Amino acid sequence: MTCKSCSSNKTPTMKDFQSNNLFTWCTNCGNYGIHTALRRALVAKKIPACQTLNCFDIGCNGNGSDKIGGYSFHGLHGRVIPMACGATMANSKMTVIAFGGDGGTLGEGVGHLVHAIRGNYNITFVLHNNLNYGLTKGQASPTTLKNMKMNSSPDGVTSELLHPANFVLSLESTFVARSFSGNVKHMAKTFEQALDHRGFSFVEILQSCPSYNKETPHEWYMDRVFDISNLADYDSSNRQQALAIAQDQEEKIAIGVLFQDKKSVPQIEKQPNRKDIVTDAYEETRHYDISKLLSKFR
Ligand code: SF4
Ligand code: MG
């Protein structure tokens, strides 16, 4: 693909998305696999680094903000989604990807998730679901299993948990997928499908956190996950079927594209005032001299 900003037609490589900065995640953290899979997907889709904006929330996921090539943005806790939505509205040619943890996304920032889905903003959102607040050393998050003993709740969590995929499917979402941090190949394929979708792509990654989530380690997921693309009768355009298959998260956990509305229209194309306009908002900004106006208030 020829780069729309610098006209380069160099084929993107894994090297374009690498960084020389030192990784600080714990040994065997699922984040390593997530980053490798994302790089593979971007290269497979031939998306140049100079057309990629990666937006990071606060959390262990956010410690990846200087570990990947392309443009990066590191926002406030729980606020990465509106930042990413604003970016795609300002520059629709950019591939915008946002990353958030289960705490920031389904706790502090849950309202932003709901409204980004309503708007169907054209971004890929990756939920790093490790069932806890890892960066702050293992507190319970909205996805921590009931009765699980955490550093902030040593007698066990007493609240019901929030199932991310079911929650998102219950809204008018247009793309909902799930993958597992121990399967780089599956994650890369899922990211490719998410990048192809026109609208808000929600990708939940079941992420192992060997430091603070001892109840559902890598092996626990390995014993349970199965790829729905192997099911002959699964119809990913059927929201009810997706809701039913996403429900079980303890015995058999479905991964793959659970639901997709192929007629999805992204927010930018729904704006009446953008109809027939080929430029992007960032190309239309101008300097205005407002000193005369300001002088009236002196
Ligand atoms: Fe990864 Fe958990 Fe360590 Fe965070 S605390 S870097 S999620 S293993
Ligand atoms: Mg977390």
Side-chain angles (χ1 to χ4, degrees):
M1 181 196 287
T2 304
C3 175
K4 292 167 204 138
S5 14
C6 66
S7 302
S8 161
N9 56 9
K10 180 179 153 282
T11 305
T13 66
M14 290 291 274
K15 215 170 163 197
D16 296 343
F17 293 99
Q18 271 160 8
S19 145
N20 292 326
N21 293 322
L22 188 70
F23 285 92
T24 53
W25 294 314
C26 310
T27 305
N28 294 330
C29 173
N31 278 315
Y32 293 103
I34 297 173
H35 267 235
T36 302
L38 181 73
R39 287 191 190 98
R40 283 192 193 173
L42 288 164
V43 170
K45 297 310 306 175
K46 296 188 170 44
I47 299 171
C50 59
Q51 278 183 41
T52 309
L53 173 66
N54 293 300
C55 306
F56 294 85
D57 208 273
I58 300 294
C60 290
N61 76 84
N63 285 351
S65 62
D66 61 348
K67 315 290 188 304
I68 189 161
Y71 291 97
S72 278
F73 182 94
H74 203 156
L76 298 174
H77 199 192
R79 314 299 166 202
V80 72
I81 290 177
M83 307 290 180
C85 293
T88 189
M89 292 299 281
N91 185 350
S92 66
K93 296 177 192 81
M94 204 80 173
T95 295
V96 180
I97 305 163
F99 306 85
D102 41 299
T105 306
L106 296 159
E108 292 89 337
V110 69
H112 299 309
L113 175 65
V114 170
H115 297 294
I117 290 169
R118 285 182 57 234
N120 201 27
Y121 292 90
N122 193 27
I123 69 168
T124 291
F125 178 68
V126 179
L127 177 73
H128 294 237
N129 188 10
N130 60 6
L131 314 194
N132 79 99
Y133 285 92
L135 189 70
T136 46
K137 303 204 177 304
Q139 292 82 21
S141 81
T143 63
T144 307
L145 307 179
K146 200 174 175 189
N147 300 321
M148 193 161 143
K149 291 186 169 72
M150 302 301 293
N151 285 342
S152 55
S153 36
D155 296 326
V157 174
T158 50
S159 298
E160 301 297 333
L161 71 100
L162 202 157
H163 290 295
N166 286 73
F167 175 60
V168 169
L169 281 163
S170 74
L171 305 167
E172 288 303 309
S173 46
T174 58
F175 184 99
V176 183
R178 192 154 60 190
S179 192
F180 163 49
S181 67
N183 189 337
V184 171
K185 202 170 161 193
H186 188 272
M187 278 192 292
K189 188 85 209 146
T190 308
F191 288 147
E192 280 184 47
Q193 290 165 290
L195 290 165
D196 279 343
H197 180 69
R198 299 176 72 254
F200 189 90
S201 305
F202 178 87
V203 184
E204 176 191 4
I205 303 294
L206 305 165
Q207 186 200 328
S208 60
C209 169
S211 296
Y212 297 113
N213 176 1
K214 308 287 185 194
E215 289 212 18
T216 63
H218 177 85
E219 297 74 17
W220 188 91
Y221 286 113
M222 286 294 282
D223 289 342
R224 289 164 175 78
V225 295
F226 70 98
D227 189 344
I228 52 166
S229 66
N230 295 326
L231 300 178
D233 58 348
Y234 189 76
D235 174 9
S236 62
S237 68
N238 184 329
R239 192 181 295 273
Q240 293 311 318
Q241 205 176 355
L243 273 161
I245 208 159
Q247 187 66 34
D248 185 357
Q249 299 192 40
E250 292 188 11
E251 302 299 323
K252 286 179 70 132
I253 306 175
I255 57 172
V257 177
L258 304 175
F259 176 77
Q260 183 172 16
D261 175 359
K262 294 215 166 145
K263 294 195 183 124
S264 163
V265 179
Q267 175 63 227
I268 190 90
E269 291 175 27
K270 296 185 202 177
Q271 302 266 317
N273 59 338
R274 302 300 306 173
K275 197 170 176 293
D276 301 328
I277 295 180
V278 292
T279 48
D280 266 315
Y282 85 98
E283 294 166 307
E284 296 155 19
T285 52
R286 279 184 289 278
H287 285 286
Y288 290 95
D289 183 2
I290 56 167
S291 54
K292 215 167 148 190
L293 176 69
L294 289 177
S295 66
K296 290 186 186 171
F297 301 95
R298 286 201 185 111

